[in-house]
Amino acid sequence: MSTHSNISHLLLLFGDILLLYVSLFLTLVIRYGGLPSASLLGVHFAAFSVLFIAWLFIFFVAGLYDRQILLFPESLWQRILKTQAVNSLIAVIFFYSIPFFAIAPKTNLFIYLLVSFGLITLWRRWAGTLFAMRDSVQAVLVASGSTAEQVRERINNREHGLQISTHIYPDDYDVDDLYQATHEVIEEDEASLVILDTQNQVVQRGLSKLYNFLYADVYFVTLDALYETIFERIPLHRLEHEWFIEHIRRTPHIAYDTLKRSMDITVGGLLFLLTLPLYPFIALAIWLEDQGPIFYHQKRVGRFGEVIRIVKFRSMSTDMISKHVTRVGRFLRKTRIDELPQLWNVLEGKLSLIGPRPELPSLVGSYQESIPYYHARHLIKPGLSGWAQLRHDNPPKFAVHINETKEKLSYDLYYIKNRSLLLDIKIGLWTLRVLASRSGT
């Protein structure tokens, strides 16, 4: 590890320590509505100083000082929030099992979690950019194919402290020559990261030799893992059955599924009640335009391939000859108001607030014949909003589009693999931002 890297990690540590105390001070200001007294500061700073030692240890365990978090900060906020949640649990146990400091800061801990999460995330984002500019890392890419080209182009076009200095195509070498060529490039470029395509046959046969670079302080990352990190999707064309066996399962995540269903009922129920007063006005606008029905029912494919019926406000004309989107319907679609009745589908358990978008049965039949592993997206409950809806720039609609649907599936599989309450919250907040800007499609 270079001297610059060591300095960066020390600066991160000192910055974290400073912000832990700053967050505590701000928490007390917020909690008590002004500058805290010296005695209040003293008792809290003494108690939390003991905790901060344990918390910093958790930071290390969570990988917040790993080289990877500086190079690939995409999931930084999730890691910090998870870490602070664990730290808060440690604090609760500490204060209630060791009442030495005579404080039990329930409200303070909640405020502290929010404040520290915000400050540390902002600090880490800024510090990561700063350290990337002053401590650039050279990487060697040992891979062939379109996925390797996409990764190289994305990395070298971004300013995040990582550059692929040399691209080695393993199919041009035998095992011994590949090891020697990689060794020479690492020394010449002073590279500290090697990106390996572990699906490549030459690389697979040479792993036992390439493994020796670990002793030269070289960090390894697989091509597929890096692709998933920087594109936040799964490289669909590289998937094999082993990937699904390792990462995807039908059995429930009991804790997560329980929390997710609770969130669907709580948030979905609240949104349903809050928007219910709008229904008479929406119904009147729809009826006045063409005197047709207010709601529209449609069959979609749900979890485990079950055909479900979803309900929406009607946005199409009733004229079967010149079928078109009505003026009112255009507004309803633009603002997503036409989907409000689906909150009832959420409450009855057919849909979730967050999940892959449910497709028409006719389209599902075509896609399952043409796209490998398409049925995997039906392992979880579909949702009103989801990762693919937000990330996919060219979503297919109402007709068979194989290539676009393959790309959408790559985002769906990313969500299925990485689904968590934190990711659901991120998608939910992102959806609200899109709706507020009226930029959704």
Side-chain angles (χ1 to χ4, degrees):
M1 186 177 295
S2 68
T3 302
H4 282 167
S5 180
N6 286 328
I7 293 174
S8 297
H9 290 146
L10 284 175
L11 289 174
L12 279 179
L13 176 60
F14 289 137
D16 288 345
I17 293 172
L18 175 62
L19 286 179
L20 287 175
Y21 282 103
V22 170
S23 299
L24 179 57
F25 178 79
L26 292 177
T27 296
L28 296 178
V29 171
I30 294 171
R31 177 68 174 87
Y32 299 104
L35 293 176
S37 65
S39 60
L40 187 64
L41 273 175
V43 70
H44 278 81
F45 273 50
F48 276 82
S49 292
V50 178
L51 276 176
F52 290 164
I53 296 173
W55 287 8
L56 290 170
F57 174 75
I58 298 299
F59 275 24
F60 278 101
V61 173
L64 288 176
Y65 299 101
D66 289 352
R67 186 65 177 161
Q68 185 179 9
I69 203 66
L70 288 175
L71 298 177
F72 315 116
E74 284 79 1
S75 61
L76 176 65
W77 72 274
Q78 295 185 50
R79 190 175 299 196
I80 292 175
L81 186 54
K82 288 179 181 178
T83 303
Q84 287 300 80
V86 171
N87 286 342
S88 295
L89 179 61
I90 293 173
V92 171
I93 296 173
F94 173 78
F95 283 119
Y96 286 93
S97 62
I98 310 175
F100 177 77
F101 294 98
I103 58 173
K106 297 178 183 178
T107 305
N108 290 1
L109 278 176
F110 177 74
I111 297 174
Y112 183 86
L113 177 62
L114 297 179
V115 173
S116 61
F117 166 69
L119 289 181
I120 292 177
T121 301
L122 290 174
W123 150 246
R124 285 307 195 96
R125 284 285 186 183
W126 178 81
T129 303
L130 177 64
F131 296 154
M133 294 172 59
R134 65 181 294 276
D135 191 17
S136 181
V137 169
Q138 300 301 311
V140 177
L141 176 61
V142 185
S144 302
S146 60
T147 301
E149 300 296 337
Q150 291 178 56
V151 167
R152 184 182 67 178
E153 181 180 359
R154 173 63 68 91
I155 287 178
N156 286 344
N157 287 337
R158 295 175 66 190
E159 295 181 359
H160 58 9
L162 176 65
Q163 286 292 311
I164 294 177
S165 57
T166 302
H167 187 172
I168 296 176
Y169 296 88
D171 293 329
D172 296 339
Y173 300 86
D174 60 27
V175 173
D176 292 331
D177 290 341
L178 177 62
Y179 171 78
Q180 186 61 34
T182 306
H183 183 267
E184 291 175 358
V185 167
I186 289 175
E187 290 191 340
E188 291 174 2
D189 296 352
E190 296 183 351
S192 57
L193 177 68
V194 176
I195 305 165
L196 286 177
D197 179 7
T198 52
Q199 289 191 15
N200 183 278
Q201 295 297 317
V202 179
V203 173
Q204 285 183 359
R205 292 195 300 270
L207 282 178
S208 60
K209 288 191 172 183
L210 294 171
Y211 165 81
N212 292 322
F213 292 133
L214 288 174
Y215 297 100
D217 199 19
V218 174
Y219 177 72
F220 282 88
V221 63
T222 66
L223 177 66
D224 291 332
L226 183 56
Y227 182 97
E228 180 180 339
T229 297
I230 62 178
F231 288 99
E232 296 184 303
R233 50 186 283 204
I234 303 297
L236 193 63
H237 61 283
R238 292 173 59 84
L239 294 187
E240 297 178 352
H241 294 297
E242 290 80 2
W243 186 89
F244 289 87
I245 293 173
E246 181 179 357
H247 297 292
I248 306 297
R249 60 179 182 175
R250 175 170 174 165
T251 55
H253 301 65
I254 296 177
Y256 164 69
D257 289 344
T258 301
L259 289 172
K260 184 177 177 68
R261 181 58 183 153
S262 298
M263 185 172 70
D264 284 344
I265 294 173
T266 303
V267 178
L270 181 61
L271 290 175
F272 182 76
L273 293 175
L274 289 175
T275 57
L276 196 57
L278 299 176
Y279 280 43
F281 303 100
I282 299 170
L284 180 62
I286 294 172
W287 185 83
L288 286 176
E289 184 160 9
D290 60 9
Q291 288 76 52
I294 307 303
F295 297 103
Y296 173 69
H297 294 83
Q298 191 175 55
K299 292 182 179 180
R300 296 292 178 102
V301 176
R303 190 181 188 189
F304 302 144
E306 175 192 5
V307 177
I308 61 176
R309 283 170 58 88
I310 64 171
V311 57
K312 304 171 70 173
F313 283 118
R314 181 174 60 85
S315 59
M316 300 289 292
S317 67
T318 56
D319 188 344
M320 300 304 297
I321 297 177
S322 59
K323 198 77 171 175
H324 63 276
V325 179
T326 65
R327 287 176 299 173
V328 172
R330 191 174 298 111
F331 172 78
L332 296 180
R333 288 189 178 187
K334 180 68 175 178
T335 57
R336 304 287 181 89
I337 291 176
D338 65 318
E339 298 187 3
L340 286 180
Q342 290 180 65
L343 290 170
W344 177 254
N345 297 126
V346 172
L347 294 177
E348 68 178 353
K350 298 298 184 182
L351 293 179
S352 176
L353 291 174
I354 307 298
R357 188 174 183 86
E359 292 285 7
L360 295 167
S362 58
L363 296 180
V364 169
S366 299
Y367 291 145
Q368 289 189 154
E369 292 179 0
S370 306
I371 302 176
Y373 311 116
Y374 182 81
H375 60 281
R377 73 190 303 273
H378 299 135
L379 290 174
I380 65 173
K381 195 179 298 182
L384 296 184
S385 183
W387 190 245
Q389 291 95 299
L390 296 172
R391 294 302 310 273
H392 193 194
D393 294 330
N394 188 27
K397 293 183 177 180
F398 311 122
V400 175
H401 298 280
I402 300 299
N403 290 333
E404 291 84 353
T405 301
K406 283 182 178 180
E407 185 174 348
K408 186 174 77 168
L409 179 61
S410 71
Y411 289 110
D412 285 335
L413 292 179
Y414 175 90
Y415 173 76
I416 293 172
K417 176 190 172 186
N418 297 285
R419 65 190 187 276
S420 67
L421 200 61
L422 289 176
L423 183 56
D424 287 345
I425 292 173
K426 178 181 180 179
I427 294 171
L429 294 176
W430 194 348
T431 301
L432 291 176
R433 188 182 70 181
V434 170
L435 293 177
S437 64
R438 306 177 80 180
S439 62
T441 56

